[in-house]
Amino acid sequence: MTTSLPLPPPAPGGSKLLSRAGVAWFVVAAAGQTAFILFIVLFYGVRTLSGRFAAWNDKPLITGYVEGDGVGNWVFAAHVLLAAVVTLGGLMQLVPALRRRFPAVHRWTGRSFLTIACFLALSGLWMSVARGAYLSVVSEVAIGINGLLILIFAGLAWREATRRRFDSHRRWAMRTFMVVSGVWFLRVGLMGWVLINRGPVGMTKTLSGPADIVLTFGSYLIPLAVLELYFAAGRSSSGAFRILVAGLVLVAAAWTALGSVGAAALMWGPYL
């Protein structure tokens, strides 16, 4: 299994290490996101299908089930459940074997991914503004920027696909995947930070501490920065630069693995 990163054939010198680092990160991320999908299905999915909407609040939420708020509750349910769908769809888009062998599936999965991503961005913004689903002004601003980036990147990915600029399309699709995964990256980042420091250093319950601010905005800006460096390394003729970026990607993979284990053990597992 390899990732579908739109890079030109790299020159010798660190190219294999760069490619393997990308694969390592993808494998770790796929495992962590699979755990996230399973939690959504087993916790929110089961409660929603059984009509136990108030049981969404069995897990602490900013604004989950609110009695009498029919529209808000249904938007919340759609937002949460479709998060599992878009996460799975994003992972499928990154497996080149599926794209090569089943191009029609790839196209329709991609369209669904981009459409649902835009819905999640808009519904997330709506819940933040209309339902007050945020912990602090900092987190509300971060949510807003993340939502806008999803809409912009998804639109550019769709445009490039319709113009058959497939290399550019894949790059924008990868960027969309990174910002759509911001919610997951935030949980992974928070838990990685807590485990490394053996406690919530620089963190508050309202996500307004110095570490919270870095991790809240960094949940999508840091992955985007690493991705851009990966793209640049793939185009670079410098073996040293590719090796340096490969090392950075491996560090990101290690952090992702640690944070995923922490999130599964501390944030998701106890409520299943």
Side-chain angles (χ1 to χ4, degrees):
M1 179 183 293
T2 58
T3 56
S4 151
L5 296 176
L7 302 176
S15 58
K16 288 185 178 180
L17 179 60
L18 180 65
S19 177
R20 289 171 181 172
V23 171
W25 180 85
F26 174 73
V27 170
V28 169
Q33 293 203 344
T34 298
F36 184 50
I37 293 169
L38 289 174
F39 168 73
I40 292 172
V41 172
L42 295 176
F43 184 84
Y44 292 107
V46 169
R47 285 162 173 76
T48 301
L49 290 176
S50 62
R52 296 183 294 122
F53 307 128
W56 295 338
N57 298 339
D58 289 347
K59 183 182 183 299
L61 295 167
I62 301 173
T63 307
Y65 175 79
V66 178
E67 187 174 356
D69 184 12
V71 173
N73 291 333
W74 281 110
V75 171
F76 174 83
H79 183 87
V80 172
L81 297 176
L82 285 175
V85 177
V86 80
T87 302
L88 178 60
L91 290 173
M92 290 175 63
Q93 293 301 98
L94 299 185
V95 181
L98 292 178
R99 185 179 71 248
R100 289 194 300 267
R101 297 179 184 178
F102 307 101
V105 172
H106 173 78
R107 287 193 296 272
W108 281 105
T109 302
R111 291 166 183 161
S112 300
F113 170 76
L114 295 176
T115 301
I116 295 173
C118 290
F119 170 80
L120 293 179
L122 293 172
S123 60
L125 291 169
W126 182 85
M127 288 192 295
S128 176
V129 174
R131 293 192 108 197
Y134 60 89
L135 292 172
S136 67
V137 174
V138 170
S139 65
E140 184 180 22
V141 171
I143 290 170
I145 294 174
N146 192 16
L148 289 175
L149 288 178
I150 290 172
L151 294 172
I152 292 169
F153 291 176
L156 290 170
W158 194 298
R159 185 194 69 178
E160 295 303 276
T162 59
R163 295 181 177 181
R164 305 187 68 81
R165 299 173 182 170
F166 294 121
D167 285 343
S168 178
H169 160 70
R170 292 183 190 121
R171 285 193 293 272
W172 284 112
M174 282 292 299
R175 293 174 182 126
T176 306
F177 173 82
M178 292 299 183
V179 292
V180 168
S181 299
V183 170
W184 176 75
F185 277 125
L186 177 59
R187 284 148 180 76
V188 168
L190 291 172
M191 290 300 99
W193 180 258
V194 168
L195 291 177
I196 286 176
N197 291 282
R198 299 183 180 181
V201 177
M203 304 171 78
T204 68
K205 292 183 179 180
T206 59
L207 288 182
S208 55
D212 295 318
I213 294 173
V214 171
L215 292 168
T216 300
F217 286 96
S219 63
Y220 50 91
L221 296 179
I222 293 174
L224 278 176
V226 173
L227 179 64
E228 293 303 323
L229 286 171
Y230 191 92
F231 288 159
R235 297 188 298 266
S236 175
S237 60
S238 170
F241 180 56
R242 285 195 295 275
I243 291 171
L244 180 63
V245 173
L248 177 63
V249 173
L250 289 174
V251 170
W255 184 287
T256 302
L258 178 65
S260 295
V261 170
L266 302 175
M267 299 184 76
W268 306 328
Y271 299 100
L272 296 180

